[in-house]
Amino acid sequence: MKRKILLPIVAGALIASASTALISCGSSETNNPDELRIVLYNAGWGDEWLNDTINSWEEKNPGKAVNLTSLYEVNTLIGRRLVSSDNSDDLYITTYNGWRNYAAQGLFAPLDDLLKETVDGVTVEEKVDDAFDDHLYFKNSDGSKHCYRLPWTSGMGGIYYNAKMFEENGWEIPKTTEELTALVNQIKEDRIPVAGDDTATVVPFAYSGQNTDYFDYAVLTWWMQLAGEDAVKEFFNYSSADNFNSNNASGIYDELKTAVTYWYSLFSDSSNYLSGSIDYSNHDAQRAVFNGRAAMVFTGDWVYNEVLKYGTNSNFELGFIGTPTITGAKESGITYAIGSDQYIAIPESSTEKDLAKSFIKEMISNAQLSNFTNKAHGFLAYDNGDTSTIDTSNSYIKSYLDVRNETTTRISDESDAMIYLNQDIQNIWVTSASRPFLGLLQGSVTIDDAFDTIYKQAQSAFAEY
């Protein structure tokens, strides 16, 4: 997920469970054929959901046990272990764009056979969310293709809000960008006092200046709405540097510029957001909404479990706004799917690959997909053939599920292009540093300058791609 779950979870806060799952940070112990060693990135969605999956898997596999390393920061650990001669890990569940480098180096085991195995009456390949199924196979330098990684979650990002505040003040959920703009103005005009602070009124937004990539989730959805599914998928072939030319009438980068221009219409006015947001972490921004200082925040669906850690507030209830349809949209049911940087992978060095594959199958079964939604309040990147066990008495989950069901097309920024072998390349923006939001918020660039710079970077680097 593009380094987008930056929360300060104490590394020692590991899973506590009645399960026989073991917890360890080491990896040099002698391989045990009855033990499955899993490493989990537990930020955002936590690890309660995986604990339940472990219990279920162990019940179905008598004599087998899971040894779990569940930490906030696992990528350095994984990187070190993957090149170690005594790596005894069997399964990784985490987020990091560099997974493509690991695959290219042969550090991940092929999963081609797993894709053909069945879960709940369908193949694993058929179960993968449509947003990712076009890019399951990684193209090696010799032209061969294999699946080395499965996706983890298929998130929906965009605008999350205080549903109780909206209800109390009669603010309606915007369906279009015109309505969103009107809502922003309405919130300011209503001048709702901030509880406990007689000098302040509620502002429309808080945002995380430390995580401006969170704006991608809405902006790239607006871009996809404007450009349409076919054009977006063609862009991700990275066939030419000229695709990054926002002044090219035959290209679609101009529509991305249009999407950024609308976003900027919201954030060029400092009265639309909390002062100091430029320095906020994701938690600062989310707490501002939780504490009633702002009505909305741009973030992803891991926010629910993060908010649970902030305590209780009778004046707060989390809600999700499906990204409003932008003026001029060609498709309204299309959305950007978070998750291209996430992976479920088995290290090539694992001696328990079959156990790891059986665990993956348990993890993506209908029962465990529902469990993830109920416990982690998000969605794994797999089709759930039985959503009846999802707890829709939770108003947030019900509204989120309704928006998800209304979406006809989800697209991730996946690609088979070799551009991804350079982990500094960040797909749509060429490099993560050229993402324009922070520069625009700081007033250091204009939209035209930002997009001209992106085009120049694409031209200069395309031969390397």
Side-chain angles (χ1 to χ4, degrees), residues 110-124:
L111 303 176
D112 305 43
D113 57 342
L114 177 60
L115 289 179
K116 305 306 177 186
E117 294 187 24
T118 59
V119 178
D120 297 319
V122 298
T123 66
V124 172

Side-chain angles (χ1 to χ4, degrees), residues 406-421:
E406 290 170 0
T407 301
T408 57
T409 304
R410 287 191 295 277
I411 301 179
S412 72
D413 49 354
E414 292 274 20
S415 176
D416 293 328
M418 297 297 283
I419 182 175
Y420 280 123
L421 291 184

